């Protein structure tokens, strides 16, 4: 299948990032959100991101103009009918995603492929909410989308080989490195990353080292660009806890037990950077 136009549902952080990644490689994009204001904000974010690339001399003014001309904003799902692939990038909320996917299902031609950019929701379950389960797949981009090379391509139980191959080829066209993953809670990256963050909280709670020393240990000893506790503050301690709770419930395995200190800090409202206090004070 030849993909000339990609539809993106959601003009927020992930949606506008995906739109930018497509537009800079010459793919036409239709970006849809619920309000004109949200669409305008998404387009402005892309323009600002391209301006930073110009400052770094990684892009010319002409290339920026060309990329922006390929993104069309809309508040009407019907505008997506001409896309060969539609990527849903709405908030990480299962009920909301199901609602959007069912709306899309009724509007899009039968052959259109649909992908969801989720970091935690079952692809098999979302696919089952549509009438095109074989043409449904997970495409998990990482934030910030224009900079991060990885895309997790997640096959639901029903995803066809043709759908997988077309979406993998699409990721390569975007200059990304795709990895193919089976459907399971947390997929691959977050399945390894979030329990590592949780373990850092256990180490902190046991008083083995200070937060600064734990983070320095992982940065210098494992070559991580950021320590696990600083990363937790960036992601949001509430988000880390929610993910650990999902693993604990889904796998029914005690190794995914959330650290009591993490739970206590979330209860205190110390959620990290967004509240000005987490493991560190901001």
């Amino acid at each position: 299948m030849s993909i000339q136009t990609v539809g993106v549902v959601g003009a927020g952080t992930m949606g506008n990032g995906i739109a930018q990644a497509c537009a800079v490689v010459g793919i036409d994009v239709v970006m849809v959100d619920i309000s004109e204001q949200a669409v305008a904000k998404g387009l402005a974010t892309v323009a600002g991101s391209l301006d930073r690339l110009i400052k770094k001399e990684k892009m010319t003014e002409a290339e920026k103009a060309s990329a922006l001309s390929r993104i069309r904003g809309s508040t009407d799902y019907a505008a997506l009918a001409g896309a060969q692939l539609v990527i849903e990038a709405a908030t990480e909320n299962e009920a909301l995603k199901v609602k959007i996917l069912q709306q899309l299902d009724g509007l899009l031609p039968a052959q259109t492929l649909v992908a969801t950019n989720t970091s935690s929701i079952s692809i098999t379950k979302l696919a089952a909410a549509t009438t095109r389960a074989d043409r449904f797949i997970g495409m998990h981009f990482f934030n910030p989308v224009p900079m991060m090379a990885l895309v997790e391509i997640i096959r639901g139980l029903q995803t066809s080989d043709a759908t997988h191959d077309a979406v993998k080829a699409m990721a390569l066209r975007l200059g990304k490195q795709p990895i193919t993953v089976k459907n399971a809670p947390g997929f691959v990256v977050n399945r390894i990353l979030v329990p590592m963050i949780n373990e850092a909280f256990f180490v902190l709670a046991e008083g083995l080292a200070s937060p600064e020393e734990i983070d320095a240990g992982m940065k210098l000893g494992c070559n991580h660009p950021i320590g696990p506790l600083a990363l937790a503050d960036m992601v949001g301690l509430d988000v880390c806890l929610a993910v650990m709770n999902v693993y604990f419930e889904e796998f029914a395995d005690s190794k995914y037990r959330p650290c009591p200190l993490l739970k206590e800090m979330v209860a205190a409202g110390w959620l990290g950077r967004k509240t000005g206090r987490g493991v560190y004070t901001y």
Side-chain angles (χ1 to χ4, degrees):
M1 159 181 260
S2 168
I3 296 170
Q4 273 99 35
T5 304
V6 169
V8 178
V9 179
T13 305
M14 298 307 286
N16 67 58
I18 295 165
Q20 177 181 328
C22 292
V24 296
V25 298
I27 299 164
D28 291 327
V29 182
V30 181
M31 184 170 66
V32 175
D33 210 316
I34 49 172
S35 69
E36 292 284 1
Q37 191 185 359
V39 172
K41 191 179 172 191
L43 290 167
T45 302
V46 174
S49 174
L50 297 179
D51 281 337
R52 284 193 293 280
L53 291 175
I54 292 170
K55 273 199 187 115
K56 290 177 185 167
E57 297 183 355
K58 290 183 178 177
M59 177 176 266
T60 64
E61 284 286 357
E63 285 166 337
K64 174 195 167 184
S66 177
L68 286 176
S69 73
R70 290 192 194 101
I71 306 174
R72 182 159 66 90
S74 179
T75 54
D76 186 2
Y77 279 5
L80 300 165
Q84 292 79 41
L85 167 68
V86 174
I87 303 169
E88 170 275 311
T91 312
E92 194 72 350
N93 173 308
E94 191 179 322
L96 175 67
K97 285 190 187 284
V98 166
K99 187 182 165 196
I100 290 169
L101 293 170
Q102 288 176 338
Q103 273 180 281
L104 290 173
D105 207 34
L107 280 170
L108 300 173
Q111 70 276 14
T112 307
L113 304 180
V114 177
T116 177
N117 175 60
T118 176
S119 56
S120 66
I121 300 167
S122 166
I123 303 303
T124 298
K125 201 170 174 186
L126 290 176
T130 75
T131 58
R132 62 185 81 219
D134 61 321
R135 292 180 299 289
F136 187 87
I137 199 161
M139 237 184 147
H140 179 211
F141 290 85
F142 288 76
N143 187 21
V145 177
M147 309 301 292
M148 298 292 274
L150 184 68
V151 177
E152 284 182 317
I153 296 177
I154 307 108
R155 298 186 71 139
L157 194 60
Q158 319 91 316
T159 307
S160 73
D161 288 344
T163 299
H164 167 267
D165 295 349
V167 169
K168 183 179 178 182
M170 177 68 193
L172 289 167
R173 242 174 107 188
L174 298 179
K176 303 298 184 192
Q177 181 60 56
I179 60 170
T180 299
V181 180
K182 285 183 186 169
N183 185 58
F187 314 132
V188 166
V189 175
N190 287 334
R191 167 83 175 269
I192 297 167
L193 177 68
V194 184
M196 182 195 76
I197 289 172
N198 192 52
E199 195 63 30
F201 276 93
F202 274 113
V203 169
L204 179 64
E206 288 166 27
L208 299 186
S210 70
E212 292 80 3
E213 286 166 326
I214 293 166
D215 280 350
M218 292 306 288
K219 280 161 71 177
L220 303 174
C222 296
N223 212 14
H224 289 192
I226 183 173
L229 298 172
L231 181 60
D233 277 353
M234 207 159 90
V235 169
L237 269 56
D238 52 336
V239 175
C240 295
L241 177 59
V243 174
M244 285 308 296
N245 281 330
V246 167
Y247 295 170
F248 191 49
E249 202 177 301
E250 293 283 330
F251 293 115
D253 187 334
S254 62
K255 75 177 180 182
Y256 296 112
R257 176 174 71 99
C259 176
L261 175 62
L262 176 61
K263 291 165 81 168
E264 186 75 357
M265 289 173 81
V266 170
W270 297 357
L271 309 183
R273 285 176 181 263
K274 61 188 172 189
T275 58
R277 172 144 197 198
V279 177
Y280 300 100
T281 304
Y282 298 90

